[in-house]
PDB file of all heavy atoms in Angstrom:
ATOM      1  N   PRO A  24     -29.877   2.141  -2.750  1.00  0.00           N
ATOM      2  CA  PRO A  24     -30.957   3.138  -3.007  1.00  0.00           C
ATOM      3  C   PRO A  24     -31.207   3.866  -1.584  1.00  0.00           C
ATOM      4  O   PRO A  24     -31.325   3.260  -0.603  1.00  0.00           O
ATOM      5  CB  PRO A  24     -32.148   2.394  -3.380  1.00  0.00           C
ATOM      6  CG  PRO A  24     -31.908   0.899  -3.166  1.00  0.00           C
ATOM      7  CD  PRO A  24     -30.390   0.778  -2.993  1.00  0.00           C
ATOM      8  N   TRP A  25     -31.400   5.157  -1.794  1.00  0.00           N
ATOM      9  CA  TRP A  25     -31.603   5.994  -0.566  1.00  0.00           C
ATOM     10  C   TRP A  25     -32.650   7.115  -0.923  1.00  0.00           C
ATOM     11  O   TRP A  25     -32.674   7.494  -2.072  1.00  0.00           O
ATOM     12  CB  TRP A  25     -30.394   6.702  -0.136  1.00  0.00           C
ATOM     13  CG  TRP A  25     -30.398   7.573   1.019  1.00  0.00           C
ATOM     14  CD1 TRP A  25     -30.275   7.125   2.370  1.00  0.00           C
ATOM     15  CD2 TRP A  25     -30.633   8.963   1.025  1.00  0.00           C
ATOM     16  NE1 TRP A  25     -30.456   8.319   3.096  1.00  0.00           N
ATOM     17  CE2 TRP A  25     -30.643   9.427   2.385  1.00  0.00           C
ATOM     18  CE3 TRP A  25     -30.935   9.892   0.045  1.00  0.00           C
ATOM     19  CZ2 TRP A  25     -30.909  10.740   2.737  1.00  0.00           C
ATOM     20  CZ3 TRP A  25     -30.996  11.256   0.284  1.00  0.00           C
ATOM     21  CH2 TRP A  25     -31.015  11.567   1.655  1.00  0.00           C
ATOM     22  N   ARG A  26     -33.478   7.340   0.010  1.00  0.00           N
ATOM     23  CA  ARG A  26     -34.620   8.342  -0.146  1.00  0.00           C
ATOM     24  C   ARG A  26     -34.452   9.548   0.859  1.00  0.00           C
ATOM     25  O   ARG A  26     -33.920   9.284   2.000  1.00  0.00           O
ATOM     26  CB  ARG A  26     -35.953   7.744  -0.062  1.00  0.00           C
ATOM     27  CG  ARG A  26     -36.140   6.743  -1.128  1.00  0.00           C
ATOM     28  CD  ARG A  26     -37.341   5.737  -0.900  1.00  0.00           C
ATOM     29  NE  ARG A  26     -37.310   4.785  -2.024  1.00  0.00           N
ATOM     30  CZ  ARG A  26     -36.661   3.593  -2.092  1.00  0.00           C
ATOM     31  NH1 ARG A  26     -35.783   3.346  -1.003  1.00  0.00           N
ATOM     32  NH2 ARG A  26     -36.742   2.827  -2.997  1.00  0.00           N
ATOM     33  N   PHE A  27     -35.067  10.635   0.623  1.00  0.00           N
ATOM     34  CA  PHE A  27     -34.965  11.742   1.439  1.00  0.00           C
ATOM     35  C   PHE A  27     -35.345  11.444   2.935  1.00  0.00           C
ATOM     36  O   PHE A  27     -34.984  11.982   3.834  1.00  0.00           O
ATOM     37  CB  PHE A  27     -35.709  12.902   0.916  1.00  0.00           C
ATOM     38  CG  PHE A  27     -35.139  13.534  -0.332  1.00  0.00           C
ATOM     39  CD1 PHE A  27     -35.829  13.420  -1.555  1.00  0.00           C
ATOM     40  CD2 PHE A  27     -33.884  14.132  -0.262  1.00  0.00           C
ATOM     41  CE1 PHE A  27     -35.267  14.060  -2.634  1.00  0.00           C
ATOM     42  CE2 PHE A  27     -33.369  14.771  -1.380  1.00  0.00           C
ATOM     43  CZ  PHE A  27     -34.017  14.679  -2.580  1.00  0.00           C
ATOM     44  N   THR A  28     -36.397  10.570   3.037  1.00  0.00           N
ATOM     45  CA  THR A  28     -36.952  10.205   4.213  1.00  0.00           C
ATOM     46  C   THR A  28     -36.121   9.189   5.059  1.00  0.00           C
ATOM     47  O   THR A  28     -36.467   8.900   6.253  1.00  0.00           O
ATOM     48  CB  THR A  28     -38.370   9.688   4.160  1.00  0.00           C
ATOM     49  OG1 THR A  28     -38.170   8.470   3.300  1.00  0.00           O
ATOM     50  CG2 THR A  28     -39.340  10.671   3.616  1.00  0.00           C
ATOM     51  N   GLU A  29     -34.923   8.815   4.550  1.00  0.00           N
ATOM     52  CA  GLU A  29     -34.148   7.773   5.177  1.00  0.00           C
ATOM     53  C   GLU A  29     -32.852   8.359   5.665  1.00  0.00           C
ATOM     54  O   GLU A  29     -31.765   7.667   5.660  1.00  0.00           O
ATOM     55  CB  GLU A  29     -33.808   6.632   4.172  1.00  0.00           C
ATOM     56  CG  GLU A  29     -35.098   6.044   3.697  1.00  0.00           C
ATOM     57  CD  GLU A  29     -34.828   4.940   2.602  1.00  0.00           C
ATOM     58  OE1 GLU A  29     -33.752   5.038   1.876  1.00  0.00           O
ATOM     59  OE2 GLU A  29     -35.733   4.084   2.398  1.00  0.00           O
ATOM     60  N   LYS A  30     -32.817   9.436   6.310  1.00  0.00           N
ATOM     61  CA  LYS A  30     -31.654  10.174   6.818  1.00  0.00           C
ATOM     62  C   LYS A  30     -30.888   9.259   7.861  1.00  0.00           C
ATOM     63  O   LYS A  30     -29.671   9.449   7.923  1.00  0.00           O
ATOM     64  CB  LYS A  30     -32.057  11.550   7.309  1.00  0.00           C
ATOM     65  CG  LYS A  30     -32.648  12.446   6.249  1.00  0.00           C
ATOM     66  CD  LYS A  30     -32.227  13.856   6.501  1.00  0.00           C
ATOM     67  CE  LYS A  30     -32.947  14.676   5.531  1.00  0.00           C
ATOM     68  NZ  LYS A  30     -32.343  14.970   4.269  1.00  0.00           N
ATOM     69  N   GLU A  31     -31.629   8.467   8.562  1.00  0.00           N
ATOM     70  CA  GLU A  31     -30.950   7.640   9.572  1.00  0.00           C
ATOM     71  C   GLU A  31     -29.990   6.645   8.916  1.00  0.00           C
ATOM     72  O   GLU A  31     -29.111   6.304   9.507  1.00  0.00           O
ATOM     73  CB  GLU A  31     -32.070   7.007  10.500  1.00  0.00           C
ATOM     74  CG  GLU A  31     -32.777   5.892   9.818  1.00  0.00           C
ATOM     75  CD  GLU A  31     -33.961   6.308   8.869  1.00  0.00           C
ATOM     76  OE1 GLU A  31     -34.266   7.466   8.888  1.00  0.00           O
ATOM     77  OE2 GLU A  31     -34.360   5.470   8.196  1.00  0.00           O
ATOM     78  N   ALA A  32     -30.372   6.304   7.693  1.00  0.00           N
ATOM     79  CA  ALA A  32     -29.458   5.294   7.083  1.00  0.00           C
ATOM     80  C   ALA A  32     -28.058   5.745   6.769  1.00  0.00           C
ATOM     81  O   ALA A  32     -27.084   5.016   6.657  1.00  0.00           O
ATOM     82  CB  ALA A  32     -30.083   4.862   5.688  1.00  0.00           C
ATOM     83  N   ILE A  33     -27.866   7.111   6.600  1.00  0.00           N
ATOM     84  CA  ILE A  33     -26.585   7.689   6.415  1.00  0.00           C
ATOM     85  C   ILE A  33     -26.133   8.643   7.569  1.00  0.00           C
ATOM     86  O   ILE A  33     -25.133   9.343   7.458  1.00  0.00           O
ATOM     87  CB  ILE A  33     -26.456   8.375   5.065  1.00  0.00           C
ATOM     88  CG1 ILE A  33     -27.414   9.476   4.924  1.00  0.00           C
ATOM     89  CG2 ILE A  33     -26.570   7.413   3.927  1.00  0.00           C
ATOM     90  CD1 ILE A  33     -27.333  10.418   3.831  1.00  0.00           C
ATOM     91  N   ALA A  34     -26.847   8.553   8.691  1.00  0.00           N
ATOM     92  CA  ALA A  34     -26.482   9.489   9.751  1.00  0.00           C
ATOM     93  C   ALA A  34     -25.078   9.198  10.233  1.00  0.00           C
ATOM     94  O   ALA A  34     -24.382  10.180  10.792  1.00  0.00           O
ATOM     95  CB  ALA A  34     -27.550   9.164  10.918  1.00  0.00           C
ATOM     96  N   PHE A  35     -24.549   7.998  10.190  1.00  0.00           N
ATOM     97  CA  PHE A  35     -23.136   7.653  10.638  1.00  0.00           C
ATOM     98  C   PHE A  35     -22.198   8.526   9.931  1.00  0.00           C
ATOM     99  O   PHE A  35     -21.059   8.830  10.455  1.00  0.00           O
ATOM    100  CB  PHE A  35     -22.886   6.172  10.381  1.00  0.00           C
ATOM    101  CG  PHE A  35     -22.817   5.857   8.968  1.00  0.00           C
ATOM    102  CD1 PHE A  35     -21.565   5.927   8.238  1.00  0.00           C
ATOM    103  CD2 PHE A  35     -23.869   5.397   8.249  1.00  0.00           C
ATOM    104  CE1 PHE A  35     -21.639   5.531   6.813  1.00  0.00           C
ATOM    105  CE2 PHE A  35     -23.918   5.067   6.970  1.00  0.00           C
ATOM    106  CZ  PHE A  35     -22.691   5.170   6.138  1.00  0.00           C
ATOM    107  N   SER A  36     -22.471   9.105   8.815  1.00  0.00           N
ATOM    108  CA  SER A  36     -21.597   9.927   7.972  1.00  0.00           C
ATOM    109  C   SER A  36     -21.609  11.365   8.447  1.00  0.00           C
ATOM    110  O   SER A  36     -20.705  12.110   7.962  1.00  0.00           O
ATOM    111  CB  SER A  36     -21.847   9.857   6.562  1.00  0.00           C
ATOM    112  OG  SER A  36     -23.122  10.544   6.280  1.00  0.00           O
ATOM    113  N   GLY A  37     -22.594  11.818   9.215  1.00  0.00           N
ATOM    114  CA  GLY A  37     -22.731  13.295   9.663  1.00  0.00           C
ATOM    115  C   GLY A  37     -23.424  14.017   8.407  1.00  0.00           C
ATOM    116  O   GLY A  37     -23.456  15.272   8.561  1.00  0.00           O
ATOM    117  N   GLN A  38     -23.802  13.282   7.458  1.00  0.00           N
ATOM    118  CA  GLN A  38     -24.514  13.856   6.278  1.00  0.00           C
ATOM    119  C   GLN A  38     -26.007  13.589   6.272  1.00  0.00           C
ATOM    120  O   GLN A  38     -26.413  12.558   6.689  1.00  0.00           O
ATOM    121  CB  GLN A  38     -23.811  13.426   4.909  1.00  0.00           C
ATOM    122  CG  GLN A  38     -22.461  13.931   4.827  1.00  0.00           C
ATOM    123  CD  GLN A  38     -22.474  15.450   4.555  1.00  0.00           C
ATOM    124  OE1 GLN A  38     -23.187  15.952   3.711  1.00  0.00           O
ATOM    125  NE2 GLN A  38     -21.826  16.144   5.406  1.00  0.00           N
ATOM    126  N   GLY A  39     -26.723  14.431   5.529  1.00  0.00           N
ATOM    127  CA  GLY A  39     -28.065  14.245   5.356  1.00  0.00           C
ATOM    128  C   GLY A  39     -28.433  14.151   3.814  1.00  0.00           C
ATOM    129  O   GLY A  39     -29.674  14.261   3.508  1.00  0.00           O
ATOM    130  N   ARG A  40     -27.409  14.004   3.001  1.00  0.00           N
ATOM    131  CA  ARG A  40     -27.572  14.081   1.581  1.00  0.00           C
ATOM    132  C   ARG A  40     -26.710  13.060   0.954  1.00  0.00           C
ATOM    133  O   ARG A  40     -25.695  12.619   1.568  1.00  0.00           O
ATOM    134  CB  ARG A  40     -27.046  15.480   1.046  1.00  0.00           C
ATOM    135  CG  ARG A  40     -27.872  16.666   1.536  1.00  0.00           C
ATOM    136  CD  ARG A  40     -27.437  17.904   1.039  1.00  0.00           C
ATOM    137  NE  ARG A  40     -26.111  18.244   1.699  1.00  0.00           N
ATOM    138  CZ  ARG A  40     -25.358  19.303   1.283  1.00  0.00           C
ATOM    139  NH1 ARG A  40     -25.821  20.170   0.414  1.00  0.00           N
ATOM    140  NH2 ARG A  40     -24.251  19.470   1.939  1.00  0.00           N
ATOM    141  N   VAL A  41     -27.076  12.813  -0.304  1.00  0.00           N
ATOM    142  CA  VAL A  41     -26.138  11.906  -1.203  1.00  0.00           C
ATOM    143  C   VAL A  41     -25.837  12.701  -2.213  1.00  0.00           C
ATOM    144  O   VAL A  41     -26.351  13.792  -2.710  1.00  0.00           O
ATOM    145  CB  VAL A  41     -26.979  10.616  -1.470  1.00  0.00           C
ATOM    146  CG1 VAL A  41     -27.225   9.735  -0.275  1.00  0.00           C
ATOM    147  CG2 VAL A  41     -28.226  10.974  -2.269  1.00  0.00           C
ATOM    148  N   PRO A  42     -24.728  12.266  -3.130  1.00  0.00           N
ATOM    149  CA  PRO A  42     -24.022  11.055  -3.054  1.00  0.00           C
ATOM    150  C   PRO A  42     -23.116  10.976  -1.838  1.00  0.00           C
ATOM    151  O   PRO A  42     -22.530  12.003  -1.367  1.00  0.00           O
ATOM    152  CB  PRO A  42     -23.373  10.842  -4.293  1.00  0.00           C
ATOM    153  CG  PRO A  42     -22.983  12.405  -4.611  1.00  0.00           C
ATOM    154  CD  PRO A  42     -24.157  13.203  -4.138  1.00  0.00           C
ATOM    155  N   MET A  43     -22.931   9.746  -1.395  1.00  0.00           N
ATOM    156  CA  MET A  43     -21.996   9.440  -0.330  1.00  0.00           C
ATOM    157  C   MET A  43     -21.400   8.000  -0.679  1.00  0.00           C
ATOM    158  O   MET A  43     -22.135   7.219  -1.038  1.00  0.00           O
ATOM    159  CB  MET A  43     -22.590   9.516   0.962  1.00  0.00           C
ATOM    160  CG  MET A  43     -21.481   9.489   2.125  1.00  0.00           C
ATOM    161  SD  MET A  43     -21.743   8.582   3.561  1.00  0.00           S
ATOM    162  CE  MET A  43     -22.890   7.301   3.390  1.00  0.00           C
ATOM    163  N   ILE A  44     -20.161   7.981  -0.499  1.00  0.00           N
ATOM    164  CA  ILE A  44     -19.529   6.550  -0.702  1.00  0.00           C
ATOM    165  C   ILE A  44     -18.815   6.244   0.697  1.00  0.00           C
ATOM    166  O   ILE A  44     -18.360   7.098   1.486  1.00  0.00           O
ATOM    167  CB  ILE A  44     -18.497   6.506  -1.729  1.00  0.00           C
ATOM    168  CG1 ILE A  44     -17.260   7.296  -1.650  1.00  0.00           C
ATOM    169  CG2 ILE A  44     -19.173   6.791  -3.091  1.00  0.00           C
ATOM    170  CD1 ILE A  44     -16.178   7.006  -2.577  1.00  0.00           C
ATOM    171  N   THR A  45     -18.579   4.974   0.794  1.00  0.00           N
ATOM    172  CA  THR A  45     -17.681   4.477   1.910  1.00  0.00           C
ATOM    173  C   THR A  45     -16.748   3.619   1.077  1.00  0.00           C
ATOM    174  O   THR A  45     -17.123   2.878   0.183  1.00  0.00           O
ATOM    175  CB  THR A  45     -18.409   3.656   3.072  1.00  0.00           C
ATOM    176  OG1 THR A  45     -19.075   2.578   2.424  1.00  0.00           O
ATOM    177  CG2 THR A  45     -19.346   4.511   3.836  1.00  0.00           C
ATOM    178  N   ASP A  46     -15.509   3.547   1.465  1.00  0.00           N
ATOM    179  CA  ASP A  46     -14.544   2.814   0.829  1.00  0.00           C
ATOM    180  C   ASP A  46     -13.468   2.341   1.827  1.00  0.00           C
ATOM    181  O   ASP A  46     -12.774   3.320   2.351  1.00  0.00           O
ATOM    182  CB  ASP A  46     -13.795   3.629  -0.284  1.00  0.00           C
ATOM    183  CG  ASP A  46     -12.845   2.844  -1.060  1.00  0.00           C
ATOM    184  OD1 ASP A  46     -12.770   1.580  -1.079  1.00  0.00           O
ATOM    185  OD2 ASP A  46     -11.916   3.428  -1.697  1.00  0.00           O
ATOM    186  N   GLY A  47     -13.466   1.132   2.282  1.00  0.00           N
ATOM    187  CA  GLY A  47     -12.457   0.657   3.231  1.00  0.00           C
ATOM    188  C   GLY A  47     -12.689   1.414   4.596  1.00  0.00           C
ATOM    189  O   GLY A  47     -11.597   1.657   5.130  1.00  0.00           O
ATOM    190  N   GLY A  48     -13.877   1.825   5.028  1.00  0.00           N
ATOM    191  CA  GLY A  48     -13.942   2.437   6.280  1.00  0.00           C
ATOM    192  C   GLY A  48     -13.993   3.903   6.102  1.00  0.00           C
ATOM    193  O   GLY A  48     -14.195   4.602   7.075  1.00  0.00           O
ATOM    194  N   ARG A  49     -13.577   4.430   4.996  1.00  0.00           N
ATOM    195  CA  ARG A  49     -13.618   5.966   4.784  1.00  0.00           C
ATOM    196  C   ARG A  49     -14.923   6.422   4.281  1.00  0.00           C
ATOM    197  O   ARG A  49     -15.393   5.802   3.335  1.00  0.00           O
ATOM    198  CB  ARG A  49     -12.396   6.417   3.947  1.00  0.00           C
ATOM    199  CG  ARG A  49     -12.303   7.826   3.816  1.00  0.00           C
ATOM    200  CD  ARG A  49     -11.010   8.192   3.329  1.00  0.00           C
ATOM    201  NE  ARG A  49     -11.012   9.722   3.257  1.00  0.00           N
ATOM    202  CZ  ARG A  49     -10.085  10.378   2.553  1.00  0.00           C
ATOM    203  NH1 ARG A  49      -9.177   9.755   1.875  1.00  0.00           N
ATOM    204  NH2 ARG A  49     -10.183  11.609   2.507  1.00  0.00           N
ATOM    205  N   GLU A  50     -15.441   7.475   4.782  1.00  0.00           N
ATOM    206  CA  GLU A  50     -16.661   8.107   4.157  1.00  0.00           C
ATOM    207  C   GLU A  50     -16.335   9.398   3.472  1.00  0.00           C
ATOM    208  O   GLU A  50     -15.640  10.156   3.927  1.00  0.00           O
ATOM    209  CB  GLU A  50     -17.557   8.408   5.486  1.00  0.00           C
ATOM    210  CG  GLU A  50     -17.972   7.219   6.257  1.00  0.00           C
ATOM    211  CD  GLU A  50     -18.354   7.588   7.629  1.00  0.00           C
ATOM    212  OE1 GLU A  50     -18.417   8.735   8.051  1.00  0.00           O
ATOM    213  OE2 GLU A  50     -18.494   6.604   8.413  1.00  0.00           O
ATOM    214  N   VAL A  51     -16.871   9.517   2.174  1.00  0.00           N
ATOM    215  CA  VAL A  51     -16.716  10.702   1.431  1.00  0.00           C
ATOM    216  C   VAL A  51     -17.963  11.041   0.761  1.00  0.00           C
ATOM    217  O   VAL A  51     -18.824  10.210   0.319  1.00  0.00           O
ATOM    218  CB  VAL A  51     -15.673  10.362   0.242  1.00  0.00           C
ATOM    219  CG1 VAL A  51     -15.300  11.659  -0.446  1.00  0.00           C
ATOM    220  CG2 VAL A  51     -14.418   9.670   0.829  1.00  0.00           C
TER     221      VAL A  51
END
């Protein structure tokens, strides 16, 4: 679960939005 206020949780992806997946080290 991710919320708009939790941008730091997905900052590693260079994205500020979802959906986002990681699969075997790849971010999409």
